[in-house]
Amino acid sequence: MRNSREEQYVAEHSSPQSEALEWIQKQTHIRTNYPRMLTGAVQGRFLTMLARISGAERVLEIGTFTGYSSTCFAYGIKEGGMVDTLEINDELEDLIREGWERAGVRDRITLHIGDAKETLRTLSGPYDIVYMDANKREYCEYYDLIFDLVRPGGLILADDVLWDGKLWQDPMPSDKQTLGIAAFNDMVAADSRVESVILPWRDGLNIIRKK
């Protein structure tokens, strides 16, 4: 969905984001250099709803950024559930934690600061949902590391899988980010252990269900 009027209409006719999420969104634009990385309000509502309708208790997020999407998941998980979220940039920690405090979800989220691949090797499942929105060059490695952590019937969500249309350019750009996303999409499409569908929403969201 790339038409601005269409996006505005969808946003106006979807449930609004909370005041805490509005605060996180505003602070992300003020205090970071890459606010475009922020999960949008409509996608955030989708993540909350997906957690609720799936009955998720445990969620793993790779790529916290400023804490918007982890807050959305924390809103949607069952009472007593937990979100584990991984972030490499420790300079964002104060902003992340303040947002969670404002949202009233701080006790439902555990922040792991450090390299995602190293942290993933220390975690144990099962998780109901894994959400990948970090270094696109490493999506294939994340997928291999988290697969056994996902319960049968659980979901893997991979963001930005259409990568601004670069994947079908002729020739396709050869930067490592684009090649990483292309390799990941091919890997998932060929994996008989899952079923998947890509939503052409914002920059593409792959919803992958482990059989």
Side-chain angles (χ1 to χ4, degrees):
M1 189 192 312
R2 300 178 187 279
N3 183 291
S4 60
R5 293 182 65 183
E6 181 181 359
E7 289 178 348
Q8 180 180 354
Y9 183 88
V10 170
E12 290 173 349
H13 291 81
S14 299
S15 297
Q17 61 185 350
S18 67
E19 289 184 7
L21 289 174
E22 288 181 357
W23 182 89
I24 295 171
Q25 184 178 48
K26 182 177 180 179
Q27 293 302 311
T28 300
H29 281 80
I30 293 171
R31 296 161 62 175
T32 75
N33 293 325
Y34 302 101
R36 187 173 180 269
M37 293 168 55
L38 186 76
T39 298
V42 175
Q43 184 165 329
R45 292 298 300 165
F46 176 75
L47 298 179
T48 299
M49 187 173 291
L50 195 60
R52 283 186 178 145
I53 64 178
S54 67
E57 294 185 61
R58 296 191 69 202
V59 174
L60 171 61
E61 176 185 57
I62 307 172
T64 314
F65 191 38
T66 55
Y68 191 103
S69 51
S70 53
T71 299
C72 294
F73 280 120
Y75 282 153
I77 57 176
K78 285 185 175 180
E79 187 72 27
M82 183 61 65
V83 177
D84 284 299
T85 184
L86 284 55
E87 176 57 45
I88 196 169
N89 186 357
D90 60 0
E91 294 182 355
L92 294 172
E93 184 172 358
D94 289 345
L95 172 55
I96 292 167
R97 293 194 184 280
E98 185 173 353
W100 292 343
E101 191 70 41
R102 288 171 176 268
V105 298
R106 189 166 183 169
D107 62 343
R108 299 181 216 168
I109 309 175
T110 300
L111 176 63
H112 304 265
I113 297 288
D115 180 84
K117 291 181 293 183
E118 294 179 6
T119 303
L120 288 172
R121 294 185 177 98
T122 71
L123 299 177
S124 58
Y127 287 99
D128 302 295
I129 298 174
V130 176
Y131 180 55
M132 295 167 44
D133 188 14
N135 189 338
K136 315 310 172 193
R137 293 172 293 184
E138 298 183 343
Y139 266 30
C140 289
E141 293 172 89
Y142 298 154
Y143 187 76
D144 286 336
L145 286 167
I146 61 94
F147 196 86
D148 289 340
L149 299 179
V150 181
R151 67 167 175 83
L155 300 176
I156 301 168
L157 311 176
D159 204 11
D160 300 321
V161 294
L162 297 182
W163 206 230
D164 203 28
K166 293 179 181 179
L167 303 178
W168 50 87
Q169 289 181 8
D170 187 15
M172 186 178 75
S174 59
D175 63 277
K176 291 182 179 180
Q177 299 269 36
T178 301
L179 293 177
I181 289 292
F184 172 76
N185 289 341
D186 289 344
M187 171 187 281
V188 173
D191 191 349
S192 62
R193 302 171 298 174
V194 302
E195 54 186 354
S196 64
V197 60
I198 294 177
L199 299 182
W201 182 10
R202 300 185 73 203
D203 217 4
L205 180 69
N206 199 345
I207 301 178
I208 305 157
R209 179 183 175 273
K210 183 176 178 178
K211 294 179 180 178

